[in-house]
């Protein structure tokens, strides 16, 4: 079972940027699809972005609108989420996810059921 630890969250003004990191341990990182979800107070956890095990395919939620970029480095077991042009609506706890199953097209990763491991989450707050 892989363990995931997020870092890089915090408070930022609208229009600013943050870079979230997720460090993985205890598994074969290069075999996992990695992703980011977020959960705002009173709302369900929602998909943000996913990246294939090789890093060759990325998939984003519609609300990202080219503001966020997911990337990974299989040599140091880390995945990142670069977030630019942040909006107050981006305020949420952000979770890193990992999954080693073969589920077909990466678009299927929009569902929380498509992920087997989660980090503890990290707060991102965007002030207006």
């Amino acid at each position: 079972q892989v363990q995931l630890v997020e870092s890089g969250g915090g408070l930022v003004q609208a229009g600013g940027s943050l870079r979230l990191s997720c460090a993985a341990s205890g598994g074969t990182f290069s075999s996992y699809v990695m992703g980011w979800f977020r959960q705002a107070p009173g709302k369900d956890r929602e998909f943000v972005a996913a990246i294939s095990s090789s890093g060759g395919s990325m998939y984003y939620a519609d609300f990202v609108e080219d503001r966020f970029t997911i990337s990974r480095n299989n040599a140091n077991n880390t995945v990142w989420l670069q977030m630019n042009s942040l909006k107050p609506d981006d305020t949420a706890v952000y979770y890193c996810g990992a999954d080693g199953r073969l589920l077909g097209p990466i678009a299927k990763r929009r569902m929380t059921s498509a992920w087997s491991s989660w980090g503890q989450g990290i707060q991102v707050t965007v002030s207006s």
Side-chain angles (χ1 to χ4, degrees), residues 41-63:
K43 294 187 177 181
D44 294 334
R45 190 172 298 191
E46 66 175 349
F47 171 79
V48 177
I51 187 167
S52 63
S53 57
S54 68
S57 297
M58 287 74 77
Y59 183 66
Y60 298 94
D62 291 342
F63 65 78

Side-chain angles (χ1 to χ4, degrees), residues 29-50:
F29 183 76
S30 61
S31 69
Y32 292 111
V33 176
M34 299 297 296
W36 290 93
F37 278 67
R38 69 185 189 184
Q39 188 166 17
K43 294 187 177 181
D44 294 334
R45 190 172 298 191
E46 66 175 349
F47 171 79
V48 177

